[in-house]
Amino acid sequence: MTTAPAREPAQRKGRPRDERIDTEITSAALEELSEGGFERFTVEAVAARAGVAKTTVYRRFPTREDLVLGALLRLNDDLPAPPPPGPVRERLIAVLQAVRSRATNSSRGRLLMQSVGEGLHSPELAEMVHARVLAPRRQVLRDVIADGIASGELRSDLDPDALIPVLVGPMFYLGAWKCVASAPKVSVEAIVDTVLVGLLPLRP
Amino acid sequence: MTTAPAREPAQRKGRPRDERIDTEITSAALEELSEGGFERFTVEAVAARAGVAKTTVYRRFPTREDLVLGALLRLNDDLPAPPPPGPVRERLIAVLQAVRSRATNSSRGRLLMQSVGEGLHSPELAEMVHARVLAPRRQVLRDVIADGIASGELRSDLDPDALIPVLVGPMFYLGAWKCVASAPKVSVEAIVDTVLVGLLPLRP
Amino acid sequence: MTTAPAREPAQRKGRPRDERIDTEITSAALEELSEGGFERFTVEAVAARAGVAKTTVYRRFPTREDLVLGALLRLNDDLPAPPPPGPVRERLIAVLQAVRSRATNSSRGRLLMQSVGEGLHSPELAEMVHARVLAPRRQVLRDVIADGIASGELRSDLDPDALIPVLVGPMFYLGAWKCVASAPKVSVEAIVDTVLVGLLPLRP
Amino acid sequence: MTTAPAREPAQRKGRPRDERIDTEITSAALEELSEGGFERFTVEAVAARAGVAKTTVYRRFPTREDLVLGALLRLNDDLPAPPPPGPVRERLIAVLQAVRSRATNSSRGRLLMQSVGEGLHSPELAEMVHARVLAPRRQVLRDVIADGIASGELRSDLDPDALIPVLVGPMFYLGAWKCVASAPKVSVEAIVDTVLVGLLPLRP
DNA sequence: GAATAACCGAGACGGTACGTCTAGTCTTGTG
DNA sequence: CACAAGACTAGACGTACCGTCTCGGTTATTC
């Protein structure tokens, strides 16, 4: 199963594929996914939205799942920019604020979160999302942490791999509370400060 | 426990509904959801598995969504037991280990995680899951935190509402890494210790 | 299978059936049949129209077919009156005109015709319709023929059994042409005159 | 001047319909109708019998009624042959005997009769049956009558439109008596002779 | 004056078919 | 070859009736 159209060897034979159609299809698929979620996602709707025959979609993405993968790759189109230099606390807040804001407000952010959940029933999807979509985003945070350790603002014995879940996990958790009335409101600052200081009583 | 429409007022008119069928339907639905996820979830399969006519399902759950809600309520059938007394660190690890283990291993745990993602496109689902399924589980953690504060093991100025995302969020994040080869392996102990101590350098 | 509720032996025990309900059910059934034909005929609609529970219908008419039979019997409520005395030609025209007019205009007449067709797939229905509904109507025509033979207006060697199909059959045939644009218009008088005179050239 | 006619092959766009499937569907539908009548007629059974998906049926016949019409057209597959030359009485008997025999014995004949009755509640069905199915059959009889008039065997002032109901109507009437025990048995010969001679006493 | 037995309204229940929709494959014709 | 268009199989969707059943409550006759 190819998750994206790959035809390296120069030019085969016959009529070449229209590359604009590739992007039109994945764009349409991404919009459909963002609007209706995985359940309402329909190959026919994608083809219609892209103004393309169903065959043309299936030629590139043999199955619905492949089309989903192809669409999700387009989430990398707008990667967040790294935060400006400054105190590590502010930089962490900026990064996580962006994560949280996207997850709460933009349909693409919600889609990304939903993809993580969906991946639990589709290892292939999970692998792809984590390796191709989430990894680049993690790197931004990893850099901020490394900078903080280098500047002495953070403990030097920290393991970034253990730290990323601690920082990003709460954002996912809060994102899932979107528009849930019964959920308490917690600010990103409160989270970051809690993590920075730790839970143990301060030693005098 | 009846997951579907309660009809308190004595006995209305007509033949009363067979309550055993209620549970058989929701059980079947829960199993179907656990095994195949939301996408492959089919009312007909639920009816067949419950040994019941399709109409009997639709009488209780007018739409597929309603049936999903009814099934997810059954997740409360096996709430985790509170951890035994002991040092707060060990109790936290025990609670979170259970969350992580369930999320990783049991099909119901995966289903619960997926429901959170699915809720992003269905406010009704989100509200229900958070209020009826997640709330009771949060309470266990909240109690452990309260005990820790009372015993002086934790800082007394902690806000549990800010703390719960910090502790539970990472579990969700790790749970989503299940069977993702490219994901780093992080132990629950490492997470808890990181959170307990905090990120700032220790003041001498 | 009882085609009508018959409980002769005085009064058994328990609450007696409400006889008004019998007629309300058959009336409702007859109207439903007249309006929608056999295909759209629904026990539930009959019960609703009669303002009665489905059980109450099924107690009297164990099956849909029985209900149809019970309803068709009500067609005998308005039997045509015998024609006034006069020349046999005018009397025949009057009788057949009534048959044709009913079959063309009234919904009950159409229903009766349709019942004949339906009887081809349901011997029980056919037997009932012919013995209970059509027989009384045939008798009117039979009397007119007998009077005509007695008065010398008709040939004395006529077999009424062969004659009735010759006279009534065309009415059915014409009735079936109702609102069929491509069908030629033929008057009842023309039919009767054709039959009276015969097809052979007049012998000098 | 009319617009230029488009080329007939015109092979529109997309994959053309498999014409064999058309006939398989209508054949299956005709058999189902013949066996079970209109009431038991089921689109699903037709699809199953034709070995075809339900959607394939609905693509051609958007509704059950349309499928019925399509099936009834197939009744024209076996039109009766005109009778051999001979005396007009024998030719009439032959034609009508065939009508009666078919109506009594063959399932298709019964179906045709039932369609006439059904047409009373469906103008479209009535129009189709009369124009496309019955018209060709009437023509055979009309020819025999015309031959009889030409040869002087029949009165020259006969109106075939008035005559056809007189001859065919009784066949329908007798056909409806099939397997009705209480119905008198009348032969086709008796009918024809009665019509030929007429009802009035012979003038000396 | 109960006790009994059948009636009646209401609706649950297992089925079957409806007509619609989508997935994924295939078969045309055209560029 | 690519592409548009649409036929095709397969199967789930949610609805409507069928005929059966189980309730609560209502009459009449019988003991």
Side-chain angles (χ1 to χ4, degrees):
Chain A
M1 266 194 251
T2 57
T3 64
R7 287 164 308 111
E8 301 211 11
Q11 169 76 9
R12 284 255 196 204
K13 254 186 175 181
R15 173 173 170 180
R17 287 194 188 165
D18 187 338
E19 307 228 356
R20 287 167 306 178
I21 290 184
D22 288 303
T23 67
E24 274 173 36
I25 288 176
T26 47
S27 297
L30 185 57
E31 291 172 35
E32 288 286 332
L33 267 180
S34 303
E35 293 174 10
F38 285 82
E39 289 221 75
R40 276 183 275 269
F41 183 73
T42 273
V43 178
E44 295 199 336
V46 171
R49 177 167 232 158
V52 142
K54 228 174 20 156
T55 332
T56 305
V57 177
Y58 276 108
R59 188 172 302 114
R60 291 161 166 79
F61 305 99
T63 165
R64 208 185 87 127
E65 309 302 312
D66 294 318
L67 179 53
V68 167
L69 295 187
L72 291 180
L73 269 181
R74 297 292 302 279
L75 284 173
N76 281 336
D77 284 359
D78 52 346
L79 282 176
V88 76
R89 175 178 178 271
E90 272 65 37
R91 297 188 83 197
L92 284 175
I93 288 176
V95 170
L96 297 180
Q97 194 73 265
V99 172
R100 170 144 167 59
S101 161
R102 266 182 58 96
T104 307
N105 302 326
S106 88
S107 62
R108 293 194 171 190
R110 285 199 300 276
L111 173 58
L112 180 49
M113 286 190 56
Q114 198 181 10
S115 306
V116 173
E118 203 70 18
L120 296 170
H121 275 284
S122 167
E124 193 181 5
L125 173 63
E127 183 66 46
M128 197 284 275
V129 167
H130 283 88
R132 310 281 294 268
V133 182
L134 292 180
R137 293 155 201 269
R138 265 197 300 271
Q139 193 54 45
V140 175
L141 185 58
R142 196 184 299 265
D143 290 344
V144 171
I145 294 170
D147 290 349
I149 294 176
S151 68
E153 289 174 285
L154 298 180
R155 285 164 45 204
S156 58
D157 59 339
L158 287 174
D159 174 11
D161 283 334
L163 199 47
I164 284 175
V166 168
L167 289 167
V168 178
M171 298 305 107
F172 273 66
Y173 198 80
L174 293 179
W177 282 0
K178 185 193 80 94
C179 75
V180 174
S182 60
K185 305 298 176 199
V186 185
S187 70
V188 174
E189 285 87 349
I191 301 276
V192 170
D193 286 335
T194 301
V195 173
L196 282 176
V197 176
L199 311 184
L200 302 181
L202 296 180
R203 273 141 304 197
Chain B
M1 190 188 302
T2 56
T3 65
R7 286 164 300 111
E8 305 197 16
Q11 162 78 14
R12 290 230 236 173
K13 287 193 168 181
R15 173 176 173 178
R17 290 193 184 164
D18 188 337
E19 308 224 355
R20 288 168 303 181
I21 290 182
D22 287 298
T23 65
E24 273 172 37
I25 288 175
T26 46
S27 298
L30 185 57
E31 290 173 36
E32 288 285 333
L33 267 180
S34 303
E35 293 174 9
F38 286 81
E39 289 220 73
R40 274 182 278 271
F41 183 73
T42 274
V43 178
E44 293 204 336
V46 171
R49 176 168 240 163
V52 142
K54 221 175 23 157
T55 38
T56 302
V57 177
Y58 277 111
R59 189 171 302 114
R60 292 162 166 77
F61 306 98
T63 166
R64 215 183 82 128
E65 302 296 309
D66 294 322
L67 179 53
V68 167
L69 294 188
L72 291 181
L73 269 181
R74 297 293 303 278
L75 285 174
N76 282 335
D77 284 359
D78 53 344
L79 283 176
V88 76
R89 175 178 179 273
E90 272 66 36
R91 297 189 80 199
L92 286 174
I93 289 177
V95 170
L96 298 180
Q97 195 71 265
V99 172
R100 171 145 167 57
S101 159
R102 266 182 58 96
T104 307
N105 302 325
S106 90
S107 62
R108 292 194 172 190
R110 284 199 301 274
L111 173 58
L112 180 48
M113 286 190 57
Q114 197 180 10
S115 306
V116 173
E118 204 70 18
L120 297 170
H121 275 285
S122 166
E124 194 181 4
L125 174 63
E127 182 67 47
M128 196 284 277
V129 168
H130 282 90
R132 310 281 298 268
V133 181
L134 293 180
R137 293 155 200 271
R138 268 197 297 269
Q139 191 55 43
V140 174
L141 186 57
R142 196 183 298 266
D143 289 343
V144 171
I145 293 171
D147 289 349
I149 294 177
S151 70
E153 290 174 284
L154 298 181
R155 283 164 48 202
S156 58
D157 61 339
L158 286 173
D159 175 10
D161 282 335
L163 198 46
I164 285 176
V166 169
L167 289 167
V168 179
M171 297 306 108
F172 273 64
Y173 198 80
L174 292 179
W177 282 0
K178 186 192 86 91
C179 75
V180 174
S182 61
K185 304 300 176 198
V186 185
S187 71
V188 173
E189 287 87 348
I191 301 278
V192 170
D193 286 334
T194 301
V195 173
L196 281 176
V197 175
L199 310 185
L200 302 181
L202 295 181
R203 275 145 300 199
Chain C
M1 268 196 249
T2 57
T3 65
R7 287 163 307 109
E8 298 216 8
Q11 167 76 10
R12 283 266 196 197
K13 247 185 170 182
R15 174 174 173 180
R17 286 192 187 163
D18 188 337
E19 307 226 355
R20 288 169 303 181
I21 290 184
D22 289 300
T23 65
E24 274 173 35
I25 289 176
T26 47
S27 297
L30 186 57
E31 291 173 34
E32 287 285 333
L33 267 180
S34 304
E35 292 173 10
F38 286 81
E39 289 220 75
R40 276 183 274 269
F41 183 73
T42 273
V43 178
E44 294 203 334
V46 171
R49 177 168 233 159
V52 141
K54 226 176 18 159
T55 332
T56 305
V57 177
Y58 274 109
R59 189 173 300 116
R60 291 159 168 79
F61 305 97
T63 165
R64 209 184 87 128
E65 266 57 47
D66 294 319
L67 179 52
V68 167
L69 295 188
L72 291 181
L73 269 181
R74 298 292 303 278
L75 285 174
N76 281 336
D77 285 0
D78 54 343
L79 282 177
V88 77
R89 174 178 179 271
E90 272 65 36
R91 297 189 81 197
L92 285 175
I93 289 176
V95 171
L96 298 181
Q97 194 71 268
V99 172
R100 171 145 167 58
S101 161
R102 265 182 59 97
T104 308
N105 302 325
S106 89
S107 63
R108 293 193 171 189
R110 284 200 299 275
L111 173 58
L112 180 49
M113 286 189 57
Q114 197 181 9
S115 306
V116 173
E118 203 71 18
L120 297 170
H121 275 285
S122 166
E124 195 181 3
L125 173 63
E127 183 66 47
M128 197 283 277
V129 167
H130 283 89
R132 310 280 296 267
V133 182
L134 293 180
R137 292 154 201 270
R138 267 198 299 269
Q139 192 55 43
V140 175
L141 186 57
R142 195 184 299 265
D143 290 343
V144 171
I145 294 170
D147 290 349
I149 294 177
S151 68
E153 288 174 286
L154 298 181
R155 284 164 46 203
S156 58
D157 60 339
L158 287 173
D159 175 10
D161 283 334
L163 199 48
I164 284 176
V166 168
L167 290 168
V168 179
M171 298 305 109
F172 273 65
Y173 197 81
L174 293 179
W177 282 0
K178 186 192 82 93
C179 73
V180 174
S182 60
K185 304 299 177 198
V186 185
S187 70
V188 173
E189 286 88 347
I191 301 277
V192 170
D193 287 335
T194 301
V195 173
L196 281 177
V197 175
L199 311 185
L200 302 181
L202 295 181
R203 274 142 304 198
Chain D
M1 194 178 291
T2 59
T3 61
R7 300 247 178 84
E8 32 175 309
Q11 173 64 31
R12 294 207 224 162
K13 290 196 167 180
R15 173 177 173 178
R17 292 194 184 163
D18 187 337
E19 308 222 355
R20 287 168 304 179
I21 290 183
D22 287 296
T23 66
E24 274 174 36
I25 288 176
T26 47
S27 297
L30 185 57
E31 291 173 36
E32 288 285 332
L33 266 180
S34 303
E35 292 174 10
F38 286 81
E39 290 220 74
R40 275 182 275 271
F41 183 73
T42 273
V43 178
E44 293 202 336
V46 171
R49 175 168 242 161
V52 142
K54 222 175 20 156
T55 34
T56 303
V57 177
Y58 277 109
R59 188 171 303 115
R60 291 161 166 78
F61 305 98
T63 167
R64 216 185 80 129
E65 302 295 310
D66 295 322
L67 178 52
V68 167
L69 293 188
L72 291 181
L73 269 181
R74 299 292 304 277
L75 285 173
N76 282 336
D77 285 0
D78 53 344
L79 283 176
V88 76
R89 175 178 177 271
E90 272 65 37
R91 298 189 81 198
L92 286 175
I93 289 175
V95 171
L96 298 181
Q97 195 71 267
V99 173
R100 171 144 168 59
S101 161
R102 266 182 57 98
T104 307
N105 302 325
S106 90
S107 61
R108 291 194 170 190
R110 284 199 301 275
L111 173 58
L112 180 48
M113 286 190 57
Q114 198 181 8
S115 306
V116 173
E118 204 70 19
L120 296 171
H121 275 286
S122 167
E124 195 180 4
L125 173 63
E127 182 68 44
M128 196 283 277
V129 168
H130 282 89
R132 311 281 297 267
V133 182
L134 293 180
R137 292 154 201 271
R138 267 197 298 271
Q139 192 55 43
V140 175
L141 186 58
R142 197 184 296 267
D143 290 343
V144 171
I145 293 171
D147 289 349
I149 293 176
S151 69
E153 289 174 284
L154 298 181
R155 284 165 46 204
S156 58
D157 60 339
L158 287 173
D159 175 11
D161 282 334
L163 198 48
I164 284 176
V166 168
L167 290 167
V168 178
M171 298 305 108
F172 273 65
Y173 197 80
L174 292 179
W177 282 1
K178 187 191 84 91
C179 74
V180 174
S182 61
K185 305 298 177 199
V186 185
S187 70
V188 173
E189 286 88 349
I191 300 278
V192 169
D193 286 334
T194 300
V195 173
L196 280 177
V197 176
L199 310 185
L200 302 181
L202 296 181
R203 275 144 300 197

